[in-house]
Amino acid sequence: MEKEVYPKKDHYNIDDLLEIMKILRGENGCPWDMEQDHHSIRKDLLEESYEVAEAIDLENADLLKEELGDLLLQVVFHAEIEREKDSFDFDAVCDGICKKLIYRHPHVFGNIHLNSSAEVLKSWDSLKSKAKGQETAGQRLDDISKALPPMTRGEKVCKRAANAGLKGMTAEIAAENIRKAAEQLEISVKSENNVEIGENLGKLLFASCNLSNLLKKDSDECLTTSINRFIMQFKAIEKDALEKDMTLDEIPEDQVIGLFDTGK
């Protein structure tokens, strides 16, 4: 006879999810769930976030519903770990975000009038800085999460620096900086200076972040497009090689180089 630890329902809600999480972490729960802490499931949180993003890109509503559930589980999981420590619980998480939304939308919940999305974003940043006690632009740059993907973080740094009042930088100048960084990287590669190679490669990538910000392009999306194009071209070359009974290391050198030719 099947043991019923939790009643079966036609429809579950957030209260059910919270209770199920408590059971899984409880004395007679799941050994794996009981062993986890914030650090051990940190990677899962990131992976679920990316899977939500992929579902959005695919415009697949059913997949999005599923992936949002997986992401919500991660939030509930982390909140349950803290509830067990008598630190905070899921309700406290909800309380905090509700208060933040009301505070940062005075044009909706208060008497301030804002007429455009640009004004809303400016107000949001100002209120965010005020709430965190940030008095300088440097503090606002430090506040950007270091756990973000580096290209995304680079874009946000450039954007906040520009919003702080830096003038004169244009897309043309940023593109020229990329060219200069590429030249310096080429010199360091020829000299086989590993320290300089790392520095100049970093400068090239950051210069690309700056250009992405100025052009209002998402560097991660642009890079993803190029990666996907590479995979498609690679598969075409591989298919051609297999049809000719060739191994990958027998593919002509010019075809291999062509895969990475950014001039195409």
Side-chain angles (χ1 to χ4, degrees), residues 66-256:
E66 177 184 348
E67 299 301 346
L68 284 172
D70 291 342
L71 182 58
L72 177 59
L73 171 61
Q74 295 303 312
V75 176
V76 168
F77 206 147
H78 284 281
E80 174 60 18
I81 291 172
E82 289 302 309
R83 187 197 66 80
E84 294 165 2
K85 301 175 184 177
D86 291 325
S87 174
F88 64 80
D89 59 11
F90 184 77
D91 283 345
V93 174
C94 295
D95 176 67
I97 190 60
C98 286
K99 288 176 178 175
K100 181 185 291 185
L101 287 172
I102 293 170
Y103 172 71
R104 294 192 186 174
H105 289 83
H107 52 292
V108 177
F109 301 103
N111 299 319
I112 293 178
H113 296 286
L114 300 175
N115 299 315
S116 67
S117 294
E119 290 181 354
V120 169
L121 291 176
K122 185 176 181 180
S123 172
W124 176 282
D125 287 339
S126 176
L127 290 169
K128 180 178 181 180
S129 296
K130 182 179 179 181
K132 294 191 174 187
Q134 297 169 346
E135 299 179 354
T136 68
Q139 289 175 323
R140 288 189 284 278
L141 296 187
D142 278 335
D143 185 56
I144 297 171
S145 175
K146 296 176 178 60
L148 284 171
M151 295 295 283
T152 299
R153 183 178 175 225
E155 276 186 49
K156 291 179 74 71
V157 166
C158 292
K159 183 177 182 179
R160 287 196 185 178
N163 289 343
L166 292 181
K167 305 293 183 183
M169 180 56 67
T170 65
E172 289 76 15
I173 294 174
E176 176 64 13
N177 287 340
I178 290 177
R179 186 189 65 78
K180 291 178 180 178
E183 289 179 350
Q184 291 301 312
L185 177 59
E186 184 177 7
I187 293 172
S188 59
V189 168
K190 289 179 179 178
S191 68
E192 298 183 354
N193 186 320
N194 284 330
V195 174
E196 289 187 0
I197 288 173
E199 290 178 353
N200 289 322
L201 180 57
K203 290 177 182 178
L204 176 61
L205 294 171
F206 184 65
S208 298
C209 291
N210 189 33
L211 181 59
S212 295
N213 174 59
L214 290 166
L215 295 175
K216 300 188 185 316
K217 294 290 185 180
D218 187 312
S219 57
D220 284 331
E221 286 186 7
C222 294
L223 180 56
T224 296
T225 298
S226 290
I227 292 171
N228 291 341
R229 183 184 300 114
F230 173 85
I231 292 174
M232 183 175 63
Q233 293 171 339
F234 177 89
K235 289 167 67 176
I237 289 178
E238 181 183 42
K239 181 175 181 291
D240 182 61
L242 290 174
E243 289 174 351
K244 296 177 180 178
D245 292 326
M246 296 168 56
T247 60
L248 288 176
D249 59 0
E250 294 175 320
I251 294 174
E253 189 175 281
D254 61 326
Q255 283 187 286
V256 176

Side-chain angles (χ1 to χ4, degrees), residues 16-28:
D16 293 305
L17 177 58
L18 292 170
E19 187 60 32
I20 289 170
M21 191 72 251
K22 289 178 184 178
I23 293 172
L24 290 173
R25 292 272 299 176
E27 183 178 352
N28 298 312

